[in-house]
Amino acid sequence: MALRLIFLGPPGVGKGTQAKLLAADREIPHISTGDILRAEAAAGSELGRQAKEYMHKGELVPDELVVAMVAQRLARPDCRAGYLLDGFPRTMAQATALEARLAERNEDVDRVLYFSAPDEVLVRRLSGRRTCPECGAGYHVEAMPPETDGVCDKCGAKLVQRKDDMPETIKNRLEVYKAQTQALIDHYKTAGSLIEIDATGAVDEIAEAARRSLET
Ligand code: AMP
Protein backbone atom coordinates (compact mmCIF):
# COMPACT_ATOMS: atom_id res chain seq x y z
CA MET A 1 0.00 0.00 0.00
CA ALA A 2 1.23 3.49 -0.84
CA LEU A 3 2.62 5.48 2.07
CA ARG A 4 2.26 9.27 1.90
CA LEU A 5 3.99 11.34 4.54
CA ILE A 6 4.49 15.03 5.29
CA PHE A 7 7.37 16.30 7.41
CA LEU A 8 6.63 19.57 9.14
CA GLY A 9 8.80 21.67 11.41
CA PRO A 10 10.95 24.77 11.66
CA PRO A 11 14.15 25.30 9.67
CA GLY A 12 17.07 23.62 11.38
CA VAL A 13 15.03 20.99 13.18
CA GLY A 14 16.69 18.19 11.19
CA LYS A 15 13.72 17.30 8.98
CA GLY A 16 15.95 16.76 5.95
CA THR A 17 18.25 14.33 7.77
CA GLN A 18 15.29 12.41 9.17
CA ALA A 19 13.45 12.49 5.86
CA LYS A 20 16.40 10.89 4.05
CA LEU A 21 16.58 8.09 6.63
CA LEU A 22 12.87 7.31 6.76
CA ALA A 23 12.36 7.52 3.00
CA ALA A 24 15.25 5.08 2.47
CA ASP A 25 13.85 2.79 5.16
CA ARG A 26 10.37 2.74 3.60
CA GLU A 27 11.64 2.83 0.00
CA ILE A 28 9.65 5.89 -1.01
CA PRO A 29 10.96 9.02 -2.76
CA HIS A 30 12.15 11.85 -0.54
CA ILE A 31 10.80 15.04 -2.05
CA SER A 32 12.44 18.13 -0.58
CA THR A 33 11.17 21.34 -2.17
CA GLY A 34 14.26 23.16 -0.81
CA ASP A 35 16.56 20.62 -2.53
CA ILE A 36 14.64 20.84 -5.81
CA LEU A 37 14.71 24.65 -5.73
CA ARG A 38 18.44 24.70 -4.95
CA ALA A 39 19.08 22.31 -7.86
CA GLU A 40 17.00 24.51 -10.18
CA ALA A 41 18.93 27.58 -9.02
CA ALA A 42 22.28 25.83 -9.58
CA ALA A 43 21.17 24.73 -13.05
CA GLY A 44 20.15 28.30 -13.87
CA SER A 45 16.62 27.37 -15.00
CA GLU A 46 13.86 29.97 -15.24
CA LEU A 47 12.26 28.61 -12.05
CA GLY A 48 15.63 28.61 -10.29
CA ARG A 49 16.28 32.18 -11.35
CA GLN A 50 12.93 33.30 -9.95
CA ALA A 51 13.28 31.30 -6.73
CA LYS A 52 16.84 32.35 -5.90
CA GLU A 53 16.06 35.86 -4.70
CA TYR A 54 13.42 34.68 -2.26
CA MET A 55 15.62 31.89 -0.97
CA HIS A 56 18.62 34.10 -0.31
CA LYS A 57 16.50 36.41 1.81
CA GLY A 58 14.90 33.54 3.70
CA GLU A 59 11.49 34.35 2.21
CA LEU A 60 9.12 31.76 0.82
CA VAL A 61 9.05 31.21 -2.93
CA PRO A 62 5.54 32.15 -4.25
CA ASP A 63 2.93 29.42 -3.84
CA GLU A 64 2.06 29.09 -7.53
CA LEU A 65 5.67 28.28 -8.45
CA VAL A 66 6.13 25.74 -5.69
CA VAL A 67 2.72 24.11 -6.17
CA ALA A 68 3.34 23.62 -9.92
CA MET A 69 6.81 22.23 -9.20
CA VAL A 70 5.48 19.72 -6.65
CA ALA A 71 2.60 18.67 -8.94
CA GLN A 72 5.14 17.83 -11.63
CA ARG A 73 7.25 15.83 -9.24
CA LEU A 74 4.28 13.91 -7.81
CA ALA A 75 3.18 12.96 -11.34
CA ARG A 76 6.34 10.89 -11.80
CA PRO A 77 5.86 7.10 -11.67
CA ASP A 78 8.03 6.59 -8.56
CA CYS A 79 5.38 8.41 -6.49
CA ARG A 80 2.81 5.69 -7.08
CA ALA A 81 4.28 3.79 -4.13
CA GLY A 82 3.92 6.92 -1.99
CA TYR A 83 6.29 9.70 -1.06
CA LEU A 84 7.72 11.76 1.76
CA LEU A 85 7.20 15.51 1.40
CA ASP A 86 9.89 17.49 3.20
CA GLY A 87 9.38 21.26 3.38
CA PHE A 88 6.03 21.21 1.58
CA PRO A 89 3.37 22.36 2.29
CA ARG A 90 4.61 25.52 4.00
CA THR A 91 1.51 27.69 3.68
CA MET A 92 -2.22 27.05 3.96
CA ALA A 93 -2.55 27.73 0.21
CA GLN A 94 -0.03 24.96 -0.50
CA ALA A 95 -1.83 22.58 1.87
CA THR A 96 -5.14 23.32 0.13
CA ALA A 97 -3.58 22.69 -3.29
CA LEU A 98 -2.13 19.39 -2.10
CA GLU A 99 -5.46 18.32 -0.60
CA ALA A 100 -7.27 19.11 -3.85
CA ARG A 101 -4.78 17.00 -5.77
CA LEU A 102 -5.12 14.10 -3.34
CA ALA A 103 -8.93 14.29 -3.36
CA GLU A 104 -8.99 14.14 -7.18
CA ARG A 105 -7.17 10.84 -6.95
CA ASN A 106 -9.00 9.46 -3.97
CA GLU A 107 -5.78 9.52 -1.98
CA ASP A 108 -4.87 10.54 1.54
CA VAL A 109 -1.86 11.60 3.54
CA ASP A 110 -1.15 8.83 6.04
CA ARG A 111 0.80 10.81 8.61
CA VAL A 112 2.10 14.29 9.25
CA LEU A 113 5.21 14.18 11.43
CA TYR A 114 5.85 17.45 13.20
CA PHE A 115 9.43 17.80 14.43
CA SER A 116 9.90 20.36 17.18
CA ALA A 117 12.84 21.94 19.02
CA PRO A 118 13.44 25.23 20.84
CA ASP A 119 14.75 28.23 18.87
CA GLU A 120 18.25 28.16 20.41
CA VAL A 121 18.71 24.56 19.21
CA LEU A 122 17.52 25.55 15.71
CA VAL A 123 19.93 28.48 15.49
CA ARG A 124 22.84 26.30 16.61
CA ARG A 125 21.99 23.62 14.07
CA LEU A 126 21.53 26.04 11.18
CA SER A 127 24.68 28.02 11.78
CA GLY A 128 26.85 24.88 12.06
CA ARG A 129 25.37 23.19 9.01
CA ARG A 130 27.63 22.41 6.05
CA THR A 131 26.74 20.64 2.82
CA CYS A 132 28.56 19.02 -0.05
CA PRO A 133 27.82 20.87 -3.30
CA GLU A 134 28.77 17.78 -5.33
CA CYS A 135 26.92 14.86 -3.73
CA GLY A 136 24.49 16.61 -1.37
CA ALA A 137 25.79 14.97 1.85
CA GLY A 138 25.04 16.97 5.00
CA TYR A 139 27.31 17.69 7.97
CA HIS A 140 27.40 19.76 11.15
CA VAL A 141 30.59 21.29 12.52
CA GLU A 142 29.84 19.99 16.04
CA ALA A 143 27.25 17.25 15.83
CA MET A 144 28.26 15.50 12.59
CA PRO A 145 31.71 16.73 11.52
CA PRO A 146 33.45 15.27 8.46
CA GLU A 147 36.67 13.32 9.04
CA THR A 148 38.73 16.13 7.52
CA ASP A 149 37.65 19.64 8.32
CA GLY A 150 35.65 21.18 5.46
CA VAL A 151 35.95 18.16 3.15
CA CYS A 152 33.18 15.72 2.17
CA ASP A 153 33.78 12.17 3.48
CA LYS A 154 31.92 10.66 0.56
CA CYS A 155 33.33 12.43 -2.49
CA GLY A 156 36.17 14.68 -1.31
CA ALA A 157 34.57 17.95 -2.44
CA LYS A 158 34.97 21.15 -0.41
CA LEU A 159 31.98 21.67 1.89
CA VAL A 160 29.97 24.87 1.70
CA GLN A 161 27.63 26.79 3.96
CA ARG A 162 24.23 27.57 2.50
CA LYS A 163 23.78 31.30 1.89
CA ASP A 164 20.53 31.19 3.82
CA ASP A 165 22.30 29.69 6.86
CA MET A 166 23.97 33.03 7.63
CA PRO A 167 22.83 34.69 10.92
CA GLU A 168 20.56 37.43 9.49
CA THR A 169 18.80 35.06 7.12
CA ILE A 170 18.38 32.43 9.83
CA LYS A 171 16.50 34.98 11.91
CA ASN A 172 14.23 35.81 9.00
CA ARG A 173 13.57 32.15 8.17
CA LEU A 174 12.47 31.48 11.74
CA GLU A 175 10.16 34.50 11.60
CA VAL A 176 8.72 33.43 8.24
CA TYR A 177 8.15 29.96 9.67
CA LYS A 178 6.26 31.34 12.66
CA ALA A 179 4.17 33.67 10.53
CA GLN A 180 3.31 31.30 7.67
CA THR A 181 3.95 27.67 8.46
CA GLN A 182 3.02 27.28 12.10
CA ALA A 183 -0.69 27.54 11.23
CA LEU A 184 -0.34 24.21 9.43
CA ILE A 185 0.32 22.46 12.72
CA ASP A 186 -3.16 23.32 13.95
CA HIS A 187 -4.61 22.45 10.57
CA TYR A 188 -3.19 18.92 10.63
CA LYS A 189 -3.87 18.52 14.34
CA THR A 190 -7.54 19.17 13.65
CA ALA A 191 -7.42 16.73 10.73
CA GLY A 192 -6.13 14.13 13.21
CA SER A 193 -3.07 13.10 11.22
CA LEU A 194 -0.39 14.97 13.20
CA ILE A 195 2.24 13.28 15.33
CA GLU A 196 4.67 15.48 17.26
CA ILE A 197 8.26 14.29 17.59
CA ASP A 198 10.72 15.89 19.98
CA ALA A 199 13.72 16.65 17.78
CA THR A 200 16.15 17.93 20.40
CA GLY A 201 18.00 14.61 20.86
CA ALA A 202 20.45 12.59 18.78
CA VAL A 203 19.82 11.75 15.12
CA ASP A 204 19.31 8.01 15.72
CA GLU A 205 16.94 8.55 18.66
CA ILE A 206 14.77 10.86 16.58
CA ALA A 207 14.88 8.44 13.66
CA GLU A 208 13.68 5.64 15.94
CA ALA A 209 10.81 7.80 17.22
CA ALA A 210 9.85 8.65 13.63
CA ARG A 211 9.88 4.99 12.60
CA ARG A 212 7.81 3.99 15.62
CA SER A 213 5.25 6.71 14.94
CA LEU A 214 4.31 4.93 11.70
CA GLU A 215 3.42 1.78 13.58
CA THR A 216 0.60 3.28 15.63
P1 AMP B 1 14.61 24.35 3.06
O1 AMP B 1 15.74 23.64 2.41
O2 AMP B 1 13.39 23.49 3.23
O3 AMP B 1 15.01 25.05 4.33
O4 AMP B 1 14.16 25.50 2.04
C1 AMP B 1 15.05 26.53 1.65
C2 AMP B 1 14.28 27.68 1.03
O5 AMP B 1 13.60 27.23 -0.15
C3 AMP B 1 13.19 28.30 1.88
O6 AMP B 1 13.70 29.25 2.80
C4 AMP B 1 12.31 28.92 0.81
O7 AMP B 1 12.88 30.11 0.30
C5 AMP B 1 12.36 27.89 -0.29
N1 AMP B 1 11.28 26.87 -0.12
C6 AMP B 1 11.44 25.54 0.14
N2 AMP B 1 10.26 24.92 0.21
C7 AMP B 1 9.31 25.88 0.01
C8 AMP B 1 7.90 25.88 -0.03
N3 AMP B 1 7.19 24.77 0.19
N4 AMP B 1 7.27 27.07 -0.27
C9 AMP B 1 7.96 28.19 -0.49
N5 AMP B 1 9.29 28.27 -0.45
C10 AMP B 1 9.97 27.12 -0.22
Side-chain angles (χ1 to χ4, degrees), residues 11-12 15 32-35 37-38 51 54-56 58-63 66 69-70 86-91 94 126 129 162 164 173:
K15 287 192 302 295
S32 155
T33 43
D35 284 353
L37 289 167
R38 275 185 291 279
Y54 297 98
M55 295 170 78
H56 286 178
E59 305 285 341
L60 294 185
V61 174
D63 287 331
V66 179
M69 181 182 93
V70 170
D86 163 16
F88 180 93
R90 252 176 160 99
T91 62
Q94 292 177 14
L126 288 167
R129 184 154 77 172
R162 270 169 54 174
D164 60 351
R173 286 166 70 202

Side-chain angles (χ1 to χ4, degrees), residues 3 5 7 22 25-26 110-111 113 195 209-216:
L3 177 67
L5 304 173
F7 272 24
L22 193 63
D25 193 48
R26 303 303 297 245
D110 297 283
R111 294 273 197 294
L113 269 56
I195 296 176
R211 256 198 308 270
R212 253 186 289 122
S213 77
L214 301 188
E215 286 160 14
T216 52

